């Protein structure tokens, strides 16, 4: 009997713990990945309210890391190869647990290339839009942008699409891409199709008749060893290409920040102007009531004048707030680089809430995310590679050249017969003082 009671107790405890655990855990229910050709949309779905600590873009290789530590996010997902859009694979980092669904510490998405990330937190979804460099702007400008600014999203899209500095940065990325391609081509053989034809006139005085020579074939040139110059040049071009992308990202972040600051400056000025307009409407009834009380000698003249003074103060504050609103609107138009006839119809109210900022966390986040810090490391690497390229001019150079084809020559009185023609040469050179020893 006691054994049966204990078994029932253990069974009910297990059921209670299972039900309690199911209610306290937020389980990741699925992952959706779609690619539009210019962007990859990553959706993480949850059973309850979606949340995460932060996300980071890491290099070597490029990865997107999402931090879920200490948030009680559970999943039974496994590492997998995706190879869809910008996402190559998914990897999970779990806490130790005996449960089938384990607490997730991090999710790491390996990427095919560097990209920018636009996060959006919905009720039960985390939506991350991964954009190739420049593709988001191209997508925005391909659409017919409305000239009406009704939300922060409209303002950011209009400001980014109209920014000449961002377009210039995109052009610099394309230019550095061509330079990188040329540096990469220099590592491989150069194949040339060669065709030569020479004709000579007859010299009657010496009795030499007319003649003709022909040569055609493939010529191969390969730089074998340049004291590290070729590889360093390629690495330098790659670093410069990465620098242009980081500068573009930095410019995009700064532009977005200025747009957000101008947008909320307008929202704040509009809220203040609306507040004083409402107060002015309310004071009209107070002034009329004060006048009736003063005529009926129910209040003193000082009290009546005090009400009028407060009303004038509110009217002055309203006029001042309207001026501030006009200045904020002009500032927003300037930042967005749109015409003065653009309609700005923003009905958003700016909520007030306490924000806790940790200095150590801010420094750590800035070190990991700020593009200008990454740019400084890349520029230092470019300087080191420039030293290697400069010192290579004093070292050995080895080049190979070869030819395979057919050639022949004959006088006019003879038949031109083409024969096989092969040649190969290895050239070694070394600067020696003011001369070059070959």
């Amino acid at each position: 009997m006691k054994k049966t009671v204990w078994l029932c107790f253990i069974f009910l405890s297990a059921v209670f713990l299972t039900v309690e655990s199911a209610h306290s855990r937020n389980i990741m229910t699925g992952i959706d990945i779609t690619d539009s050709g210019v962007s990859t949309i990553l959706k993480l779905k949850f059973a309850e309210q979606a949340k995460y600590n932060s996300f980071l873009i890491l290099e070597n290789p490029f990865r997107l890391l999402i931090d879920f530590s200490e948030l009680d996010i559970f999943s039974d997902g496994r590492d997998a190869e995706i190879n869809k859009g910008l996402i190559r694979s998914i990897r999970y980092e779990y806490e130790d647990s005996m449960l089938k669904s384990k607490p997730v510490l991090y999710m790491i998405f390996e990427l095919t290339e560097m990209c920018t990330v636009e996060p959006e937190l919905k009720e039960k979804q985390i939506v991350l839009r991964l954009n190739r460099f420049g593709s988001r702007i191209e997508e925005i400008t391909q659409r017919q942008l409305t000239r009406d600014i009704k939300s922060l999203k409209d303002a950011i899209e209009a400001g980014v699409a109209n920014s000449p500095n961002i377009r210039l940065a995109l052009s610099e990325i394309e230019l550095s891409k061509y330079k990188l391609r040329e540096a990469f081509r220099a590592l491989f053989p150069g194949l040339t199709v060669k065709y030569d034809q020479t004709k000579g006139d007859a010299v009657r005085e010496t009795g030499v008749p007319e003649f003709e020579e022909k040569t055609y074939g493939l010529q191969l040139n390969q730089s074998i060893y340049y004291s590290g110059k070729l590889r360093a040049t390629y690495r330098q071009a790659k670093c410069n290409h990465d620098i242009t992308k980081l500068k573009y990202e930095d410019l995009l972040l700064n532009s977005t920040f200025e747009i957000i600051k101008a947008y909320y400056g307008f929202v704040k000025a509009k809220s203040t102007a609306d507040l004083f307009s409402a107060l002015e409407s309310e004071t009209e009834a107070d002034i009329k009531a004060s006048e009736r009380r003063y005529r009926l000698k129910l209040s003193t003249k000082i009290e009546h004048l005090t009400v009028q003074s407060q009303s004038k103060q509110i009217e002055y504050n309203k006029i001042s707030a309207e001026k501030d609103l006009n200045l904020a609107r002009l500032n927003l138009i300037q930042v967005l680089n749109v015409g003065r006839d653009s309609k700005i119809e923003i009905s958003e109210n700016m909520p007030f809430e306490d924000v806790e900022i940790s200095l150590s966390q801010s420094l750590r986040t800035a070190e990991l995310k700020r593009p200008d810090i990454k740019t400084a490391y890349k520029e230092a690497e470019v300087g080191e590679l420039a030293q290697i390229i400069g010192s290579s001019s004093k070292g050995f150079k080895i080049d190979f050249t070869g030819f395979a084809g057919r050639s022949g020559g004959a006088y006019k009185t003879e038949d031109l017969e083409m024969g096989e023609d092969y040649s190969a040469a290895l050239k070694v050179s070394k600067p020696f003082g003011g001369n070059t020893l070959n």
Side-chain angles (χ1 to χ4, degrees):
M1 181 66 182
K2 291 183 178 180
K3 184 177 180 180
T4 303
V5 172
W6 274 107
L7 289 174
C8 291
F9 176 76
I10 294 172
F11 174 76
L12 292 175
S13 300
V15 171
F16 174 77
L17 290 174
T18 302
V19 172
E20 180 67 22
S21 176
H23 282 286
S24 61
R25 293 184 298 168
N26 190 1
I27 298 176
M28 188 181 301
T29 58
I31 300 176
D32 286 343
I33 300 175
T34 57
D35 186 72
S36 63
V38 294
S39 302
T40 300
I41 309 298
L42 172 63
K43 295 182 180 180
L44 306 180
K45 300 179 180 180
F46 299 85
E48 299 178 10
Q49 178 66 43
K51 54 186 176 180
Y52 65 95
N53 291 322
S54 62
F55 68 87
L56 300 174
I57 294 291
L58 307 175
E59 297 184 20
N60 299 322
F62 296 121
R63 290 156 293 161
L64 168 64
L65 184 146
I66 305 177
D67 181 8
F68 293 108
S69 57
E70 300 181 358
L71 292 180
D72 292 330
I73 303 295
F74 287 76
S75 174
D76 58 356
R78 297 181 180 180
D79 299 350
E81 296 290 330
I82 302 299
N83 294 320
K84 188 171 184 179
L86 291 172
I87 299 177
R88 182 171 292 158
S89 63
I90 301 176
R91 186 161 59 87
Y92 295 83
E93 290 290 337
Y94 293 108
E95 290 184 14
D96 293 335
S97 175
M98 299 297 293
L99 300 174
K100 180 181 178 181
S101 296
K102 300 179 181 180
V104 181
L105 294 174
Y106 306 97
M107 287 186 70
I108 302 173
F109 297 85
E110 186 177 351
L111 307 176
T112 58
E113 60 183 88
M114 176 70 85
C115 63
T116 58
V117 182
E118 295 181 17
E120 183 180 359
L121 194 61
K122 296 185 177 180
E123 183 178 355
K124 293 185 179 181
Q125 286 186 355
I126 297 174
V127 181
L128 298 175
R129 183 187 184 109
L130 311 181
N131 303 309
R132 294 177 177 85
F133 280 99
S135 61
R136 181 61 174 154
I137 298 178
E138 292 172 2
E139 182 185 355
I140 292 172
T141 53
Q142 284 172 0
R143 304 199 306 260
Q144 181 65 35
L145 279 175
T146 62
R147 304 183 69 181
D148 299 343
I149 308 299
K150 297 182 179 180
S151 65
L152 178 60
K153 182 180 178 182
D154 293 340
I156 292 175
E157 288 190 352
V160 168
N162 296 330
S163 172
N165 293 330
I166 290 179
R167 293 197 173 278
L168 179 61
L170 288 174
S171 301
E172 291 177 352
I173 291 176
E174 290 298 318
L175 178 61
S176 66
K177 187 186 298 182
Y178 290 131
K179 292 181 178 179
L180 176 61
R181 189 179 303 165
E182 289 299 317
F184 182 72
R185 287 175 57 189
L187 299 175
F188 296 93
L191 193 62
T192 305
V193 178
K194 183 178 180 181
Y195 178 82
D196 290 331
Q197 183 177 14
T198 305
K199 290 184 179 182
D201 296 332
V203 183
R204 294 180 181 180
E205 291 80 2
T206 59
V208 177
E210 297 180 5
F211 70 92
E212 181 181 8
E213 291 181 354
K214 285 184 180 180
T215 301
Y216 61 85
L218 297 177
Q219 183 171 333
L220 180 69
N221 298 299
Q222 171 64 50
S223 301
I224 298 176
Y225 179 72
Y226 269 48
S227 299
K229 178 181 179 180
L230 297 176
R231 181 171 176 80
T233 302
Y234 170 71
R235 290 175 57 196
Q236 187 183 54
K238 190 175 186 305
C239 285
N240 285 326
H241 182 56
D242 292 339
I243 287 173
T244 57
K245 292 194 291 186
L246 288 170
K247 287 183 176 179
Y248 160 79
E249 184 181 356
D250 184 50
L251 181 61
L252 185 62
L253 290 174
N254 290 334
S255 299
T256 304
F257 171 74
E258 292 298 329
I259 292 169
I260 293 174
K261 185 169 70 172
Y263 176 85
Y264 280 114
F266 177 81
V267 171
K268 177 183 175 183
K270 186 175 183 299
S271 299
T272 304
D274 292 343
L275 174 63
F276 283 111
S277 294
L279 286 175
E280 186 181 39
S281 299
E282 294 177 1
T283 55
E284 291 179 359
D286 295 337
I287 291 176
K288 292 179 179 180
S290 177
E291 289 177 350
R292 286 196 300 270
R293 288 196 301 270
Y294 180 68
R295 286 197 302 268
L296 296 174
K297 298 182 179 182
L298 297 176
S299 64
T300 63
K301 187 174 183 180
I302 294 178
E303 292 175 338
H304 177 58
L305 292 176
T306 300
V307 173
Q308 288 184 334
S309 174
Q310 291 175 346
S311 175
K312 294 295 182 181
Q313 184 65 36
I314 292 175
E315 183 181 355
Y316 169 79
N317 288 336
K318 176 196 170 186
I319 295 173
S320 177
E322 288 176 348
K323 290 182 178 179
D324 292 339
L325 177 60
N326 290 330
L327 291 175
R329 184 180 184 277
L330 291 174
N331 182 48
L332 181 59
I333 288 174
Q334 181 182 9
V335 171
L336 299 183
N337 198 19
V338 295
R340 291 192 176 185
D341 56 342
S342 300
K343 294 182 179 179
I344 300 179
E345 300 175 352
I346 300 173
S347 58
E348 180 177 354
N349 293 321
M350 188 166 58
F352 295 91
E353 57 183 15
D354 293 333
V355 179
E356 296 182 2
I357 300 176
S358 169
L359 176 60
S360 59
Q361 182 65 27
S362 299
L363 293 174
R364 179 175 176 271
T365 303
E367 184 178 2
L368 292 173
K369 288 190 174 184
R370 285 191 60 174
D372 51 347
I373 296 177
K374 297 178 183 178
T375 302
Y377 286 119
K378 290 288 184 181
E379 289 177 342
E381 187 177 353
V382 168
E384 294 174 358
L385 293 170
Q387 292 180 353
I388 296 174
I389 295 172
S391 61
S392 65
S393 61
K394 301 178 182 180
F396 282 96
K397 296 180 181 179
I398 303 175
D399 294 288
F400 171 81
T401 181
F403 177 80
R406 298 177 68 83
S407 64
Y411 291 106
K412 187 177 181 180
T413 57
E414 300 174 342
D415 293 333
L416 180 60
E417 296 182 359
M418 305 294 290
E420 295 182 353
D421 188 0
Y422 300 97
S423 65
L426 195 65
K427 179 182 177 181
V428 180
S429 61
K430 172 72 168 68
F432 185 74
N435 301 313
T436 301
L437 181 63
N438 294 319

